[in-house]
Amino acid sequence: MKRLIYTAFMLLTFVSCDQWFDVEPKGEGTSGNGLFNNEASFRDYMNGIYADLRSRDLYGGNLTLGGVEFLAQTFVLYTGAEAWTRMDFNSDMARTIARKAYGGLYAAIYRCNDLLRQFDRNPDVEFVSGSREMMMAETRALRAFLHFELLRLFSPAYAVDASASFVPWIGSVDGPAVTMTSAELLDRILSELDAALVQLEACDPVVTGVGYDDMSLLGTSPADRCWKLNYYAVAVVKARALMFRGAQSDCREASTLLGSVIEKGGYEFVRTVSDSDYSFSQEFIFALPSDEKGFCALSEELFGPSGKGVVLSSQISLDDLSPDDRRRGWIDGDNTMRTKFAPTSKIDLWETAPAIPMVKLGEVYLLAAEAAAKSGDLVSGISRFNNFMTERNSASMVLAQDASLDQLMEAVDLQYRYEFMGEGVRFHFCKRLDKTITAFDGSQISEVGKKYLPIVQ
C-alpha cells in the first residue's frame, strides 16, 4: 500500500494539480456551466469539490498550518495574531477566518448536494460497474465529513454542551437548512457515514484492489484513492465523530473501526526519511494535493528568513523525542518547522509541493489507543500506544504495562503535539476533551471545550 500511495503522489504532482482538479463538467443535465452525460463529467465535478477544499481559506491555510495550528500553541505568535492565538474569537482576525471557513465549507456541501442531484437526474448515464455507487457513497460521506468539521469549529465540544444548536444540516440543493442540536446533528452525521461505509466496502478500489479506470479518471484506482475520502478515511472520520461524543460504547465501536484500519488497510510507517518525503505522505490515508506552491509558500511566509519569523514555542521540545525519531527532521536549526513543508520530491532535479494531510496513520494509532482504553481495555490501549512509539523510533517513550489512564492520555497528548505539527489537529483533540491549554507564553487557556468560532454573516 505505501508504495502505491507514494507512487500516486509522485505521478500526481508531476502533472499540474490544476489539470486534475480545476475543471468543469462537460457533456446533458446541467449544473452551472457544466453538463453531465458521461462518467468523466461527474468525476470532474467531484474533483472540483476537492480542489475548493485546498484553498487558503480552508485546509490550505486557515484550518491547518496558517490558522488553527496556532490555537494549539505550537508556535510563538506573530504580530497581528495575538488575539486569535489566545482564542479571542471575537477579534477581527477570528471573525474573518470564521466567515471564510463557514462559507467555504457550506459551499462545498452545496456542491456535494448538487452532484447527488445530478446522479438522480441522470440515471441513464453509463458508468463502469460499481463506479457510480462508489462516487455516490463518497459524496455522501464527504458531505457528512464537512458537516462534522463545521460542528467541531462552530459549536462547543459535545461533552460541554450537546444541546447547542448552531450548525444546521443541509441535505439538498433546494431544501431548507434543518436546525438541529449538536447531539442530533452528530447522530445524522454518523448515520450518513455508516451508510457510506457499507457501500464503499463493496466497491471502493482501496478495499477491493480493483480499479475502474486509469489515471485519466483520478480517484478510480487503488493507488490514487488516497486523494479521495475513501473507505478507510471514512472509517477514521467516523471514529473521530464517535470519540467526539465519547460514551463508552462509542469508544468501543471506534476502537473496532480503527483496529480494522490498522489490520486491513495495509498502511505502513516511514522507516527512513529517504524512503519518503519530509511530510511522510506514504502514511496519508486521505490528503488533498496542494496547488503549485501551496504549503511550501505558506511555510516560507511563516518560517522563512524573509517571512514572519515564526518559531516553535517552548511547549515543543525535541528533548522529548528519541534521537532516532524521524520527526526530528521536520525542524531546522533555527527552531522552525520549515523543513516539514519544504519541496518534497526525492527525484533528482524535481521539486514538488507537499500534499495537505487530512487523515494520517498516526492519528489512527493515537485514537485507537485512547478508544481502547476508554472502552474499558486499558491494556490494549497502552499496547496500541507503545506500538506507535516503536514505529516512530522512540521506543524510550513507551509506557509501562501498568500505566494509568491518566498517564496514557498525558502521553497521547504529548504525541499530538509532535505528530501533527502544522496540521491543526491538536486543537480539536484539546477542545473535545475540554482541556486547559498552556499557551506559548506560559499562561493558561481554560475551558477550551467552550471555545467556538462565531457564525459571521
Side-chain angles (χ1 to χ4, degrees), residues 23 47 96 98 154 185 198 242 285 364 375 410 443 452:
V23 289
N47 289 343
T96 297
F154 291 91
L185 180 57
V198 170
L242 288 165
I285 296 174
V364 175
S375 68
E410 182 179 354
S443 63
Y452 55 92

Side-chain angles (χ1 to χ4, degrees), residues 196-216:
L197 279 171
V198 170
Q199 188 65 65
L200 287 170
E201 187 174 23
C203 58
D204 192 332
V206 79
V207 177
T208 66
V210 179
Y212 293 111
D213 206 322
D214 58 22
M215 288 290 288
S216 65

Side-chain angles (χ1 to χ4, degrees), residues 369-385:
E370 179 187 355
K374 290 184 175 179
S375 68
D377 190 354
L378 179 57
V379 172
S380 291
I382 293 171
S383 178
R384 287 290 193 202
F385 178 81

